Amino acid sequence: MCGIVAYLGSQEAYPLLIKGLKRLEYRGYDSAGIAVLNGEGLKAYKRKGKVQELEDFIHSTPPLGKAGIGHTRWATHGIPNDINAHPHLSGNGKLALVHNGIIENYALLKAALEKEGHHFQSDTDTEVLAHLIEEVQNRGQLPLEEAVRIALKRVVGAYAIVVISQDEPGKLVAARKASPLVIGIGKQEFFLASDATPIIEHTRKVVYLNDEEIAVVSLHDGMKVKTIQNEVQTPFIHELDMELESLEKSGFDYFMLKEIYEQPTTIADSMRGRINVEENLVRLGGLGNHIDKICQARRIIIVACGTSWHSGLIGEYLIEDLARIQVEVEYASEFRYRNPIITDEDVVIAISQSGETADTLAALELAKEKGATALGIVNVVGSSIARLTDAGAYIHAGPEIGVASTKAFTGQVALLTMLALVLAKKKGTINPDYFHRLVAELANIPNKVEKVLEYDAEIKYIAREIKDRHNALYLGRGCNFPVALEGALKLKEISYIHAEGYPAAEMKHGPIALIDEQMPVIVIATNKSAYDKIASNIQEVKARKGMVIAVVTERDKAISEMADFAIRIPDTEEPLTPLLSVIPLQLLSYYIAVMRGCNVDQPRNLAKSVTVE
Ligand code: M6R
């Protein structure tokens, strides 16, 4: 939820930290700060607001020093202000700390430290940890890494931290538990961050810290890793596979728009090497020998949050329909706490763009403990969920920077569609001709997404009609019902217009009471199997003077004539329609948000990856 960046080496730290924080700002953006170490000691600067405000504040006198830590915050404990911003200093001001996560027992620790004479400036849990490390260090006269290790043994909760101390220059100490931390290894220099985005322009060699590991990076001794239990570890060096260009806006006003427009490519990338139309083949190498297990599973349980949960619902429709395997889709946050019945006959699939969502990670851990096969559909390579699973498939969408998920959603849906096809073929539950048609059509979906994007100007025009409304209703049926949920979520999160998604037939059971001339109703009307029923739902809206925006197929006549506005998408096989029908809804939300003057990439109160509960 927050972003950490740190540097140790022979370059000036300040410009690297600021640039790194800008790369990480999508993770949290309510305040930012840095601390740089030089011969005179630690210099810390903190500011409420965006990284730019911090930079303006420091302005013409940037601190000098070749080691430093930085943080961009998404507030948990204490409102966003200058004091609560990180880094936090110890009582004697000699040690500074940046932290992602939550220290759950901070109140107890704080009370104990206050008894020892510690005074706190902020309302944060992080400052308590800084003081705790100082206390442990002073009591035992310990080196920094040992004080950090012992202090962390007393901490309950989640953390990724980097600590710097003026008593031990030339060294940074980092640790993680349930919150990611990556260490980039350069030539006689180290780059630490909560994800690889600020590291990639400096080095491709990285180490992902594991849970309950502590790393010490030192100019003299290189990198050493041990566990909190004091066991020495051998770090594994990974090669980053990420392009710097994917972290730039490349001429688009917002990352979200860029990412919407990337979808023809990202969907194709998700299928690369997995689909072969000539050979009538779909294969998911990463799931390899687990396919038999899934076919024989008592049921598949999909755990996810937000947009990833919506893609899971589409997976449920497709897998049950095509492969005839029972699927349940659960909010990870509910699943993990409701004592679910899971056995070793179940297969649990975690879906996550970031691979770091705390609830999804915990749900997967629970499933593993109970003996289920744990699989993942993840975007971020090397992320915690990806590393926890028994097997999985990456969606290969590249970094998604806009807080509102777009290309990750279509990548997940493409992956789940391939999974449904693989399972259906293996189980013999699909007619071979139909299988071939779906494979050929799926391979052609990127071209059809290009066509949907050509309607951009028309969608922008419709956005103008909706931008001043206060509510919106999204309706869909079958596998387009989750698309309605996703459309509503997109509108809510970036434009702050209240929106709800419903199965179209549910409208009569309550939401119809909301409909009047002020209510735009966005209906996904592409399902051939339920065309007449959707047409009736639209009539019901029209009879109550609601404004209907219908997503229809290119040759549609009847519904287009009924609707106030029609958005056309190319015709396709019904199970594949979500990959097309969601695109106009993404664009619609985007343009409405822009017209309302919202910061599309950094909507209020949200952060890209939710690494705390
Ligand atoms: O990284 P994840 O896919 O696990 O994230 C799950 C949700 O937090 C995420 O999809 C969220 O709902 C997005 N803001 C949706 O646009």
Side-chain angles (χ1 to χ4, degrees), residues 305-308 351-354 357 403-405 412 489-490 493 610:
C305 304
T307 287
S308 299
I351 305 181
S352 176
Q353 186 286 128
S354 61
T357 301
V403 165
S405 186
Q412 291 163 351
L489 179 65
K490 288 288 88 89
E493 59 182 346
V610 184

Side-chain angles (χ1 to χ4, degrees), residues 8-300:
L8 176 70
S10 54
Q11 304 185 56
E12 282 304 321
Y14 172 73
L16 295 171
L17 296 177
I18 287 290
K19 195 164 186 205
L21 287 180
K22 285 186 177 165
R23 289 252 187 258
L24 286 169
E25 208 167 16
Y26 74 104
R27 296 180 70 97
Y29 32 81
D30 59 41
S31 49
I34 55 151
V36 173
L37 182 61
N38 60 30
E40 291 165 20
L42 271 172
K43 294 231 174 332
Y45 302 82
K46 314 199 286 183
R47 214 66 187 156
K48 177 177 182 234
K50 301 271 157 72
V51 176
Q52 188 58 54
E53 282 164 65
L54 175 71
E55 203 180 1
D56 293 345
F57 171 62
I58 297 172
H59 192 49
S60 51
T61 50
L64 297 175
K66 301 192 169 158
I69 59 179
H71 191 265
T72 173
R73 180 171 185 244
W74 184 89
T76 57
H77 294 66
I79 57 164
N81 62 21
D82 296 352
I83 293 174
N84 288 334
H86 301 208
H88 285 284
L89 293 149
S90 58
N92 61 15
K94 290 183 171 182
L95 176 157
L97 174 87
V98 284
H99 165 226
N100 287 355
I102 290 181
I103 296 167
E104 289 168 14
N105 59 340
Y106 86 102
L108 273 177
L109 294 170
K110 189 173 184 174
L113 286 163
E114 277 169 339
K115 276 196 191 143
E116 300 295 329
H118 287 259
H119 297 286
F120 295 91
Q121 315 287 327
S122 76
D123 305 317
T124 65
D125 50 344
T126 304
E127 191 186 9
V128 175
L129 182 56
H131 282 244
L132 180 63
I133 294 170
E134 177 190 44
E135 177 70 23
V136 172
Q137 189 168 27
N138 287 346
R139 278 189 179 208
Q141 294 302 305
L142 299 169
L144 182 64
E145 57 268 35
E146 192 56 5
V148 170
R149 190 180 73 78
I150 292 169
L152 288 177
K153 285 180 92 171
R154 295 181 57 190
V155 161
V156 178
Y159 52 78
I161 58 167
V162 183
V163 191
I164 188 167
S165 166
Q166 69 182 52
D167 285 343
E168 297 179 54
K171 177 195 278 186
L172 296 173
V173 178
R176 82 155 262 176
K177 183 179 176 193
S179 191
L181 199 76
V182 190
I183 301 173
I185 304 164
K187 282 192 188 132
Q188 292 293 304
E189 57 184 356
F190 297 95
F191 305 85
L192 291 81
S194 39
D195 66 44
T197 53
I199 296 179
I200 184 71
E201 57 206 275
H202 306 292
T203 176
R204 288 189 172 267
K205 287 192 172 36
V206 295
V207 168
Y208 296 98
L209 269 198
N210 291 312
D211 267 356
E212 305 209 336
E213 280 183 353
I214 298 181
V216 184
V217 295
S218 148
L219 291 177
H220 302 293
D221 302 326
M223 176 166 64
K224 289 190 178 140
V225 179
K226 58 165 71 167
T227 65
I228 288 197
Q229 310 313 329
N230 215 9
E231 294 144 351
V232 174
Q233 303 290 297
T234 310
F236 181 78
I237 298 176
H238 296 255
E239 190 78 13
L240 278 179
D241 178 20
M242 185 192 280
E243 295 311 319
L244 194 54
E245 198 194 26
S246 64
L247 306 175
E248 311 283 353
K249 283 193 209 145
S250 313
F252 285 89
D253 288 342
Y254 285 99
F255 278 109
M256 181 182 177
L257 189 61
K258 177 187 175 219
E259 287 158 7
I260 291 173
Y261 268 83
E262 277 174 353
Q263 290 175 106
T265 309
T266 52
I267 296 173
D269 287 346
S270 74
M271 299 191 290
R272 198 173 307 288
R274 290 169 168 164
I275 279 204
N276 186 322
V277 181
E278 287 75 43
E279 291 176 25
N280 198 23
L281 256 180
V282 185
R283 73 171 88 79
L284 291 171
L287 294 176
N289 44 21
H290 287 84
I291 294 296
D292 284 336
K293 168 81 193 181
I294 309 175
C295 286
Q296 288 147 21
R298 190 168 67 113
R299 64 196 170 144
I300 297 171

